[in-house]
Amino acid sequence: SSGINAEYGALQNGISAKQILDFLESHAHPQMLKNKPIIAPTVTDQLYLWEMERSRLSTEEGVLYSQFLSDADFKVVHEYAQNIGCVQWSNVQKRLLVVNKKGHGDVKKYWKAYKKEHGE
């Protein structure tokens, strides 16, 4: 399994599944070269799945809002953030909201103004 970790790490560092498979085939033990295919299909499939997963994920910096004292407060800020299109993730039950960096300044200003207007 240390080999699996190395292969997954290689994928995380931008080496393609095909490059890994080519390397494994060119450095295979002579006994393995008798197998057709040389690399087991399950290994090949897993490498391509990991590669697709890596390609599908992306990261973006965000700001977490989590100190809401009521559901109403959360709802107001959440709706505002949705309206300006900066919500990256939210959990209504736990009153958690993540907005992108671009929208953070506007959400922060809105939230401060809202609290001031409503006496909080």
Side-chain angles (χ1 to χ4, degrees):
S1 59
S2 64
I4 290 172
N5 290 336
E7 290 161 358
Y8 189 71
L11 283 168
Q12 295 292 53
N13 288 314
I15 297 172
S16 73
K18 180 164 180 8
Q19 288 172 314
I20 293 169
L21 290 167
D22 288 347
F23 175 85
L24 291 174
E25 285 184 6
S26 66
H27 292 83
H29 186 278
Q31 193 64 32
M32 290 293 295
L33 295 173
K34 295 176 183 174
N35 298 338
K36 296 289 179 224
I38 297 169
I39 306 297
T42 53
V43 173
T44 302
D45 291 347
Q46 187 61 58
L47 283 167
Y48 282 113
L49 283 171
W50 282 339
E51 183 176 61
M52 286 188 313
E53 184 177 305
R54 181 198 67 206
S55 300
R56 158 182 94 80
L57 298 176
S58 64
T59 59
E60 182 181 351
E61 284 191 49
V63 178
L64 172 66
Y65 287 79
S66 62
Q67 302 295 314
F68 298 101
L69 300 177
S70 70
D71 288 339
D73 288 349
F74 173 81
K75 184 177 180 186
V76 165
V77 175
H78 187 247
E79 284 179 3
Y80 176 78
Q82 280 183 315
N83 288 339
I84 66 169
C86 68
V87 174
Q88 288 179 310
W89 177 85
S90 65
N91 183 316
V92 176
Q93 290 76 25
K94 293 183 180 181
R95 295 185 202 150
L96 298 173
L97 173 65
V98 176
V99 300
N100 62 28
K101 285 280 218 180
K102 188 175 135 199
H104 169 57
D106 291 336
V107 172
K108 185 177 177 181
K109 270 189 244 172
Y110 176 82
W111 180 229
K112 281 185 176 183
Y114 177 86
K115 287 195 299 186
K116 190 174 184 178
E117 187 179 308
H118 291 84
E120 292 181 38

